[in-house]
């Protein structure tokens, strides 16, 4: 919709407050602010929801792989054969054996439930960027050294160099019953994954040490698998699942974390719908301000019609005046949303300081900080939706102005 210089001049004149039109200008300003806040809220909430999903996916899958192959009974004896089959499967990028067992950890009289996790040397080194104290290099087979999560270290009061005792209830049998197996390990490193549950529970050790602790011999607990496309992991591993039917089960990340990711998906859709309604309500202010503007300018419109202005020109003038309010509000909201996301941690800390409340408890919210990841396609959809709502809100007042009969308006002038 291209405006002529005459139409653009009139449109600009109507967008600026005139004498006796302060109230109309106020309503138009409120419309702009309301659209901006609605768009900003949509951008912030959707980016945070996307950030939640992406961060949880990256950290959970980064530690547990896209899928696991686990034997019935929890012990995979012929794991080397299964590992070779998995690695030979097309689109599988990596596969490695893993032991993971819930046990107890003790230090200075404190006891916590832990997950003893036995990894290959290659997998242990992948934790390197997450280490916040100590080093992973001492974690060698039979060296008696482990790495623990940051929250577990805090709960037990552990520091690098301290010894944590891992208690396995399945110990040796004696005439007096089963004696739990207790082995002390030196803490060589403390890591922070960023997911509270992992940082609170995991004790990572070399594979051979985990087999010794659990009296597992040469068996492993499972094989973790990475694939090229996580969303197609079930399809990619279908041949493996079919071959291992009756001996082992293949479980992908969607199944393991189904309740969490499904809840996030439902909440994401619900928040988008609710906040879209807020934007829709905001553009009703544009409708009301344009209706008032048309009523205030009825005489001017009639004079323009007698001077030769066409109905099409008047339609374009009022659509432009209303649409620009919506467009300015949309892009202002976009800017506000990005500013808030950039300073989101500072905003959270400021609100916590003012209210005295802990708004971001990692034990409840899984992640240690507020995440954010903006999707360009989603941002574009939000902008298009706000602009479309704004355009639709201008149609009725614009058609009302275009249908003004100058004879009826000016007959008594």
């Amino acid at each position: 919709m291209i405006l002529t210089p005459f139409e653009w001049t009139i449109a600009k004149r109507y967008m600026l407050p005139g004498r006796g039109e302060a109230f109309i200008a106020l309503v138009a300003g409120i419309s702009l602010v309301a659209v901006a806040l609605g768009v900003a809220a949509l951008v912030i909430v959707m980016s945070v929801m996307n950030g939640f999903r992406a961060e949880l996916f990256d950290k959970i899958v980064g530690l547990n792989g896209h899928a696991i192959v686990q034997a019935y009974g929890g012990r995979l004896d012929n794991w080397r054969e299964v590992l070779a089959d998995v690695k030979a499967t097309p689109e599988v990028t990596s596969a490695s054996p893993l032991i993971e067992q819930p046990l107890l950890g003790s230090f200075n009289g404190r006891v916590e439930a832990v997950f003893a996790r036995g990894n290959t040397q290659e997998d242990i080194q992948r934790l390197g960027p997450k280490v916040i104290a100590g080093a992973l290099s001492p974690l060698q087979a039979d060296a008696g050294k482990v790495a623990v999560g940051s929250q577990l270290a805090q709960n037990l009061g552990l520091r690098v160099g301290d010894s944590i005792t891992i208690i396995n209830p399945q110990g040796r049998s004696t005439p007096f019953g089963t004696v739990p197996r207790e082995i002390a390990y030196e803490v060589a490193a403390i890591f922070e994954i960023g997911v509270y549950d992992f940082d609170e529970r995991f004790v990572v050790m070399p594979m051979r040490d985990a087999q010794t602790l659990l009296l597992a011999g040469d068996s492993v607990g499972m094989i973790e698998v990475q694939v090229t496309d996580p969303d197609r992991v079930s399809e990619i591993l279908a041949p493996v699942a079919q071959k291992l039917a009756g001996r082992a089960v293949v479980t992908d990340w969607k199944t393991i974390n189904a309740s969490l990711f499904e809840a996030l998906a439902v909440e994401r859709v619900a928040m988008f719908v609710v906040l879209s309604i807020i934007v829709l309500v905001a553009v009703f202010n544009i409708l009301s301000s344009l209706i008032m503007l048309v009523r205030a300018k009825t005489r001017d419109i009639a004079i323009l019609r007698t001077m030769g202005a066409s109905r099409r020109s008047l339609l374009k003038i009022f659509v432009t005046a209303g649409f620009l309010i919506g467009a300015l509000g949309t892009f202002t909201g976009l800017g506000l949303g990005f500013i808030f996301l950039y300073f989101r941690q500072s905003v959270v800390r400021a609100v916590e300081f003012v209210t005295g409340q802990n708004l971001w408890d990692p034990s409840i919210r899984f992640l240690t900080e507020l995440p954010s990841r903006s999707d360009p396609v989603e941002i574009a959809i939000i902008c298009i939706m706000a602009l479309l709502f704004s355009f639709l809100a201008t149609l009725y007042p614009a058609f009302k102005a275009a249908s003004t009969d100058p004879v009826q308006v000016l007959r008594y002038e």
Side-chain angles (χ1 to χ4, degrees), residues 242-270:
Q242 186 176 3
K243 186 173 182 179
L244 295 176
R247 293 187 294 153
V249 60
V250 178
T251 310
D252 61 36
W253 66 271
K254 296 178 184 178
T255 304
I256 297 171
N257 306 286
S259 58
L260 177 60
F261 285 102
E262 284 176 8
L264 284 176
V266 171
E267 188 176 354
R268 185 167 170 268
V269 172

Side-chain angles (χ1 to χ4, degrees), residues 11-24:
K12 284 194 297 183
R13 171 67 186 84
Y14 284 172
M15 283 186 291
L16 297 173
R19 190 176 303 170
E21 300 168 1
F23 183 71
I24 297 175

Side-chain angles (χ1 to χ4, degrees), residues 79-266:
W79 62 270
R80 288 183 175 82
E81 177 187 339
V82 175
L83 182 64
D85 289 339
V86 172
K87 286 184 175 181
T89 303
E91 297 189 73
V92 170
T93 56
S94 66
S96 59
L98 169 69
I99 293 176
E100 191 174 289
Q101 184 72 27
L103 300 173
L104 292 175
S106 174
F107 176 71
N108 277 352
R110 300 180 184 178
V111 178
E112 289 281 339
V114 301
F115 273 98
R117 184 182 178 93
N119 281 120
T120 63
Q121 289 301 130
E122 181 182 355
D123 289 338
I124 289 174
Q125 295 308 313
R126 282 166 50 195
L127 277 176
K130 308 295 184 182
V131 172
I132 58 174
L136 295 173
S137 54
L139 269 72
Q140 303 293 330
D142 301 322
K145 298 182 185 295
V146 297
V148 301
S150 58
Q151 192 61 42
L152 177 61
Q154 182 177 329
N155 293 345
L156 291 177
L158 287 167
R159 294 177 295 178
V160 173
D162 290 338
S163 292
I164 179 174
T165 300
I166 306 298
I167 305 168
N168 178 11
Q170 295 179 343
R172 66 181 186 276
S173 298
T174 70
F176 302 100
T178 301
V179 177
R181 185 177 179 80
E182 299 183 15
I183 300 181
Y185 297 93
E186 182 182 338
V187 176
I190 298 173
F191 60 84
E192 186 171 299
I193 300 294
V195 179
Y196 185 87
D197 285 1
F198 291 172
D199 294 333
E200 187 188 30
R201 293 283 179 256
F202 276 80
V203 176
V204 177
M205 61 182 66
M207 179 72 68
R208 191 187 304 169
D209 289 7
Q211 289 171 332
T212 302
L213 172 64
L214 299 172
L215 303 173
D218 189 44
S219 66
V220 300
M222 62 193 76
I223 293 173
E224 64 174 8
V225 186
Q226 301 271 357
V227 298
T228 54
D229 185 358
D231 291 323
R232 294 177 48 246
V233 62
S234 299
E235 178 186 338
I236 293 170
L237 295 179
V240 175
Q242 186 176 3
K243 186 173 182 179
L244 295 176
R247 293 187 294 153
V249 60
V250 178
T251 310
D252 61 36
W253 66 271
K254 296 178 184 178
T255 304
I256 297 171
N257 306 286
S259 58
L260 177 60
F261 285 102
E262 284 176 8
L264 284 176
V266 171

Side-chain angles (χ1 to χ4, degrees), residues 70 88 95 191 212 238 246 284 296 316 321 331 349 361 381 406 411:
Q70 188 169 19
F191 60 84
T212 302
F284 275 107
K316 290 162 65 177
F331 292 110
R349 285 193 290 269
D361 186 350
I381 290 173
R411 65 187 300 178

